[in-house]
Amino acid sequence: MALNKDVTSALIKEYGKNEKDTGSPEVQIALLTARIKDLTAHLQANKQDAGARRALLILVGKRHSLLDYLRSNDADRYAALIKKLGLRK
């Protein structure tokens, strides 16, 4: 369920300021979104996996908190990220 190294580094390159930028909200939200998509696909095939469902809810909560933080600090970056990731807000 965890993202492999290639996917992680590609997301960091795409959303980060440089290749070492793992702490910016954009990168964290992009990584969480990728993990959420993987878990959603897993749960569609395995409906009774309660542990994965709980993990999904935790990840969605973390992403929501980071999106709120980004929206309150920089609305332009927030709008660009929402559009780029295809999230509905």
Side-chain angles (χ1 to χ4, degrees):
M1 309 251 185
L3 298 175
N4 63 14
K5 196 171 188 178
D6 297 332
V7 173
T8 303
S9 61
L11 286 172
I12 291 171
K13 282 182 185 178
E14 183 176 354
Y15 292 98
K17 296 175 183 119
N18 57 33
E19 295 176 4
K20 301 286 185 182
D21 180 21
T22 58
S24 68
E26 291 92 344
V27 173
Q28 291 183 37
I29 292 168
L31 290 172
L32 286 172
T33 301
R35 288 184 62 198
I36 287 169
K37 286 180 182 177
D38 285 346
L39 269 176
T40 302
H42 170 76
L43 280 172
Q44 287 175 349
N46 304 293
K47 296 183 187 305
Q48 299 298 320
D49 192 352
R53 187 172 313 281
R54 182 175 187 275
L56 177 65
L57 292 174
I58 290 170
L59 292 177
V60 169
K62 285 182 184 179
R63 183 178 71 178
H64 182 75
S65 298
L66 284 169
L67 284 169
D68 284 346
Y69 167 79
L70 190 59
R71 183 176 52 213
S72 67
N73 286 332
D74 193 348
D76 294 333
R77 284 171 48 196
Y78 169 80
L81 183 65
I82 290 293
K83 185 176 181 182
K84 195 171 185 181
L85 286 174
L87 298 176
R88 47 179 194 145
K89 275 282 177 169

